[in-house]
Amino acid sequence: MSRIQSAINPRSPEFKTNSEQYQKSTEQLRSRLSEAATGIREKLIVRHRERGKLLARERIDRLIDAHTPFLELSPLAAYGQYNNEVPSAGIVTGIGQICGIHCMIIANDATVKGGSFFHETVKKHVRAQEIAEQNRLPCIYLVDCGGAYLPEQDRVFPDKDHFGNSFFRQCRMSQQGLPQLSAVFGGCTAGGAYIPALSDENIMVKGNARIHLGGPSIVKVAINEDVDGETLGGAEMHTKVSGVSDYLAEDEPEALARLREIIGKLNFPKTCHTDTQPVLPPAYSPEELNGIVSADPKIPYDVREIIARLADDSDFHEFKPLYGETLVCGTAHIHGYPVGILGNNGALFSESALKGAHFIELCNQRNTPLLFLHNITGYMVGTDAERGGIAKNSAKMVYAQANARVPKFSVIVGGSYGAGNYGMAGRGFGPHFMFTWPTASCATMSADIASNVMLELRRSSIKHGEASAEELQKIEDDVRAQYGEQSDPYYATSRLWDDGIIEPSQTRDVMGLCLALTATREPEAGPSPVYRM
């Protein structure tokens, strides 16, 4: 029997202290999520409703199947930027089930700058399309979009991954047989017009929906023609005259019902390509995850305690348990789906790196997805480590992980620093999904190490005399402030370096949804050798 035996005492003072700290972090997260959903812009929401329009998340609630989850992605995008005037980057994205089919839903929020696209809006929109293409999901666009936010044009329009890339992806996915469907609820101008125009089918709501490449003001300037918005690009004109719209809806509920009808007749079968098992709850409650990890990153914990609260029946077949002990590897099931888990129990030594590379190749051979639980200061440094080949051995783990053909998921539980982030499938290595806990941090190194490094560099650069105490203190204060700000999880999620911050107790269910999505992907062809590193 490979069930993990927990050593955690939920009644201990340490557990209570950790739980209280996490409760504060959780309350802060919930408050910020609530603010992003409906806070800050109450007057704009009232005006939006007076026009007979639903909020973006209300449209999604009506669209997805009853009593099914919606996995919202990056809900705190743009948090702390633009004076907090662009909550959720003005767009809601996520995965929901519609008529039994998992779909990527991309919904503009017209209460945020008229649904205009900022830099983070584009990034979030494109990331949602990337996930859809990777996981073979239909894309549903709930359009209420004012196009690019003009003061941000240099960060929105010209580059490879800017607004145009979203249209490129839309075209490519349609060509691949991934349905692209739109319902238009408001004005869609310029770039916003191409979202429904490039869709396979689209619906427009009478009275509110408009599509035009140039609005009345642009038409006036360009060709000196006076025309109102409804005549220029209203729903009735586009449905009855131009043919840009395929269906006319009297109101938003009818448009959403029509959209469900189209999706229900897509003939879009899904096949599970993995050997699932009956779902069993963990032997230990996921709610206990709040009490395992200390708020002080210097206090260690055993990652097996986290795995015990994620895995079905807390059953975990550990690989090489007596070798490379700072990296815990093994196989388990989460919500019935098989998964290979790699979790940090300290810095990665050569032995740990070789073990990780070996385990990744085993999972790759057996079509088992990989879940990386980050709490890593990096690979070991020093004379002994270098003489032992840490550079080459760590590269082997990075190489195996980068070339794995199976789905990869990352959850940053604690810190994720330096090359350790790379070996554990950080953002740069394209994990299918990446989430963080509220107390996570991600940077080249911790603030303590960074400040010491900068101080040593300053001292070594001085040829005559010594640096003053005031100068050294300023260097330390500046570096600590920079790293403290930039390694904060809210700073990271605001810039879409992850797919969202989740509560620790939600991790099992979120991973279950992600595993279910990727289980429908056909295994990638190619050789799957196992080299004993």
Side-chain angles (χ1 to χ4, degrees):
M1 187 66 181
S2 52
R3 179 188 288 176
I4 296 173
Q5 299 300 312
S6 176
I8 294 293
N9 178 8
R11 297 181 180 84
S12 69
E14 295 82 2
F15 186 93
K16 183 178 179 181
T17 299
N18 293 343
S19 294
E20 289 173 351
Q21 181 62 42
Y22 257 94
Q23 185 60 36
K24 292 178 183 177
S25 299
T26 300
E27 289 172 0
Q28 181 186 58
L29 174 61
R30 291 175 180 175
S31 173
R32 291 178 177 181
L33 289 171
S34 176
E35 188 178 81
T38 55
I40 307 171
R41 56 198 190 282
E42 289 84 357
K43 291 182 180 179
L44 294 171
I45 289 175
V46 169
R47 187 175 69 181
H48 187 80
R49 293 192 188 283
E50 287 173 348
R51 294 170 175 169
K53 300 170 75 173
L54 299 169
L55 299 179
R57 290 176 179 84
E58 292 173 341
R59 290 166 180 159
I60 292 170
D61 286 343
R62 292 192 179 215
L63 182 62
I64 64 175
D65 297 345
H67 309 299
T68 61
F70 176 67
L71 179 59
E72 185 170 348
L73 302 170
S74 302
L76 292 175
Y79 176 82
Q81 302 184 70
Y82 311 105
N83 295 317
N84 267 340
E85 294 177 356
V86 191
S88 296
I91 194 169
V92 181
T93 65
I95 300 165
Q97 188 171 288
I98 306 172
C99 299
I101 300 171
H102 284 110
C103 299
M104 176 60 74
I105 303 172
I106 301 174
N108 303 114
D109 187 346
T111 69
V112 179
K113 303 292 184 181
S116 297
F117 276 69
F118 288 69
H119 174 71
E120 290 74 19
T121 317
V122 173
K123 196 170 182 181
K124 185 171 175 178
H125 185 108
V126 169
R127 173 60 180 155
Q129 291 177 306
E130 178 182 44
I131 291 172
E133 185 171 9
Q134 201 171 38
N135 294 285
R136 314 301 298 164
L137 304 176
C139 277
I140 313 301
Y141 303 91
L142 306 182
V143 193
D144 204 343
C145 170
Y149 184 64
L150 296 182
E152 281 262 299
Q153 76 88 23
D154 65 322
R155 302 177 69 224
V156 171
F157 174 73
D159 205 356
K160 174 176 76 75
D161 293 321
H162 285 177
F163 206 0
N165 187 252
S166 68
F167 308 135
F168 172 77
R169 289 177 178 273
Q170 195 172 342
C171 296
R172 298 280 291 185
M173 282 192 284
S174 177
Q175 191 272 339
Q176 294 169 29
L178 298 177
Q180 307 290 299
L181 307 173
S182 291
V184 183
F185 300 98
C188 301
T189 304
Y194 278 106
I195 298 174
L198 287 171
S199 293
D200 304 327
E201 293 183 76
N202 71 65
I203 304 156
M204 293 184 72
V205 177
K206 185 177 180 180
N208 278 335
R210 294 176 186 172
I211 297 175
H212 31 59
L213 295 184
S217 58
I218 293 178
V219 170
K220 175 64 176 176
V221 171
I223 62 174
N224 198 31
E225 177 185 345
D226 290 306
V227 62
D228 63 87
E230 188 66 26
T231 302
L232 181 64
E236 289 191 82
M237 187 282 288
H238 275 312
T239 309
K240 298 176 180 179
V241 179
S242 75
V244 169
S245 170
D246 303 304
Y247 308 97
L248 180 67
E250 291 294 324
D251 53 25
E252 293 198 5
E254 181 183 334
L256 294 166
R258 172 75 74 171
L259 200 50
R260 282 185 56 85
E261 182 180 358
I262 294 170
I263 295 166
K265 293 178 170 59
L266 282 178
N267 188 28
F268 197 78
K270 285 285 189 178
T271 302
C272 183
H273 293 280
T274 194
D275 184 18
T276 59
Q277 293 186 1
V279 179
L280 294 172
Y284 308 97
S285 172
E287 297 293 332
E288 293 178 356
L289 288 170
N290 289 346
I292 292 172
V293 181
S294 173
D296 183 353
K298 295 179 182 178
I299 297 177
Y301 64 89
D302 187 349
V303 73
R304 295 176 186 84
E305 297 290 356
I306 293 178
I307 297 170
R309 289 155 180 84
L310 300 181
D312 290 4
D313 200 34
S314 303
D315 187 7
F316 180 63
H317 176 68
E318 188 169 347
F319 175 70
K320 283 185 179 290
L322 303 180
Y323 179 80
E325 295 180 23
T326 59
L327 183 66
V328 175
C329 304
T331 51
H333 285 77
I334 296 178
H335 280 280
Y337 293 94
V339 62
I341 302 175
L342 298 91
N344 302 123
N345 259 358
L348 290 166
F349 292 80
S350 279
E351 295 84 356
S352 309
L354 293 174
K355 172 181 171 179
H358 188 173
F359 180 70
I360 289 167
E361 289 185 334
L362 287 172
C363 291
N364 199 45
Q365 182 196 61
R366 298 165 187 176
N367 194 37
T368 302
L370 293 163
L371 168 59
F372 297 83
L373 301 175
H374 296 227
N375 184 35
I376 179 65
T377 54
Y379 289 99
M380 181 52 63
V381 297
T383 303
D384 289 343
E386 297 296 351
R387 287 175 178 269
I390 188 63
K392 186 168 184 61
N393 292 329
S394 63
K396 290 177 181 178
M397 181 176 171
V398 172
Y399 184 92
Q401 179 267 116
N403 286 288
R405 294 193 306 275
V406 296
K408 298 180 293 188
F409 313 103
S410 281
V411 179
I412 302 182
V413 173
S416 185
Y417 299 113
N421 172 272
Y422 298 161
M424 294 293 289
R427 189 63 147 181
F429 286 80
H432 284 57
F433 292 93
M434 182 170 181
F435 299 98
T436 64
W437 284 8
T439 52
S441 59
C442 180
T444 53
M445 58 189 73
S446 68
D448 287 342
I449 295 175
S451 61
N452 287 328
V453 168
M454 293 302 293
L455 288 173
E456 286 301 314
L457 289 172
R458 177 59 184 141
R459 289 191 185 104
S460 65
S461 69
I462 298 171
K463 296 181 180 178
H464 303 287
E466 294 183 359
S468 67
E470 291 78 9
E471 181 185 359
L472 294 177
Q473 187 62 52
K474 184 178 187 307
I475 291 173
E476 181 174 4
D477 291 344
D478 289 349
V479 172
R480 285 185 177 278
Q482 177 191 355
Y483 275 72
E485 176 190 7
Q486 294 178 357
S487 62
D488 183 85
Y490 292 98
Y491 186 96
T493 203
S494 173
R495 289 154 181 80
L496 290 107
W497 298 347
D498 56 47
D499 294 314
I501 301 175
I502 60 175
E503 297 178 23
S505 59
Q506 295 175 333
T507 308
R508 171 176 158 82
D509 290 341
V510 169
M511 285 299 104
L513 286 169
C514 293
L515 286 164
L517 289 171
T518 56
T520 61
R521 289 170 25 115
E522 289 190 31
E524 292 185 27
S528 297
V530 175
Y531 297 109
R532 294 186 62 88
M533 294 289 188

